Amino acid sequence: MKTKILTLVLAVSLFSLNSMGETKRYVLHINKTDNTVEKYDTEDIESLESNPAPDDQRFEAVDLGLSVEWATANLDVHRSTKVAKGPEGQGGHYGWGDPTGNMTVQPDNASWTPYEPDRAKCLSYYGGENPPKDICGTDLDIARVHWGGEWRLPSRAEQDELREKCTWTKETLNGVTGYRVTGPNGNSIFLPAAGFRFASSNFGGDYLSYYWSGTLNPNPGYSDYAYYLETSPDYYEWLSAARYIGQSVRAVRDAHNTILTLKSGEKHVYRIDEIKSITIEEFTTDEDYYEAVDLGLPSGTKWAAVNLDIDQYDYAAPAPEVLGGYYGWGDPTGRNHSENEDDYPRYDSEKSISGTDLDLVHIYWGGAWHLPSMEECEELRNECTWTWDTVNGKPGYRVTGKNGNSIFLPTSGWRIGEKIDQSYVNTHGYYWSGTNVTSFYVYEIAFSQKYQWYYNYRYNGYQMRGVRK
């Protein structure tokens, strides 16, 4: 059972602008045992919950440093203890979606995959014709039914995590071959080669193992199949099999951890031993909070030291070489990824959105901060020295004013729709101005090692670097 440890209901607004032009918010600090701190604006948080240690200790669990804890032995519903005899014990073989563990029914023609001649009858023993896409923790989950508590089948994602984040080493334990699976924290489990069952016969017990997940194959035409983890002396990989195939079960349960869920749906999971403390602090910004670099420009324009990043607690990239977000031009939400030009503002008599309610820099940083105009971008190009540089491994341009002060513009690539073009992330930089030059094009700062200036479509996702007087 999860326990809510933070109620995001405060007597004051979590995001407010006071009469002095200061923005006041509340920021959650995750203070970690490695002395790092992660910060989140409480406006972005959906919930913060913890999983307490379970009361039921009948079945041993191992924390591998993953999102779930893994049982030390296989399920065996026909033993009085419901667990295999030791980590090397093979346990039983069960059909997917059969909570009894007793079904061995399969198609009459004994073929490997088709459910003929009576598909509906066969499937009725293994979750039915339309089972949930994921039976983990449901009444179709054989681990939950027989072990109870928080125990359940692993999902395919959790099996993938075991496969991808752990070290797999061939091992023989008490005469049984299998894999020693060692987690990032050094703890391990042993997965024996337990084979599989077809009808009433077992196969491959001395070298193969099939372990069910609780996840149905979602691909069209494959709902009669479910995902499983297969191991052999040569590989360990997920595959998809007919639900009537008898396979082993290695159960999992939620780790004793703290789960931070953002309103975007993104989840951050922390093990209990990772967190030193959790605090909420009041955070106030005004236009002077963000560093403005005086480059000695004739107009008096000062350029921000870092890019805009509305997903950071203070809406700014943490360092000059760190990329901010990729934003469409004139999108006041910062979330529009449409590739349709009609979803972005068109050319009008003003030509510029700088400092308006369509200017994302002005919206989030406030005060006099705004997207640079075309003239301010041209001034930066003509009045400063541009030198290709690398900061903490990130290439870009060092832009130095005549007074010796400088800013760093990192290469960024760009976003089209939902996809960031990775081929240009370390070779090209793209930064919006606030100036619309035609009914389709917007002025931009665009550069490679031989810098150039361009116009481009408004739906492109570019970086934003603010300016102010």
Side-chain angles (χ1 to χ4, degrees), residues 40 44 46-47 259-268 311:
Y40 301 91
D44 298 328
E46 181 68 30
S47 65
I259 304 169
L260 175 68
T261 304
L262 303 181
K263 291 178 180 177
S264 65
E266 181 180 347
K267 289 182 182 288
H268 297 265
D311 290 320

Side-chain angles (χ1 to χ4, degrees), residues 7 32 115 132 172 216 228 245 262 276-277 281 312-313 316 362 367 384 413 459 462:
T7 302
K32 303 175 71 175
Y115 283 78
T172 299
L216 196 68
Y228 70 98
I245 303 294
L262 303 181
K276 184 188 303 181
S277 64
E281 297 183 12
Q312 295 292 328
Y313 76 98
H362 184 65
C384 295
Y459 59 73
Y462 288 170

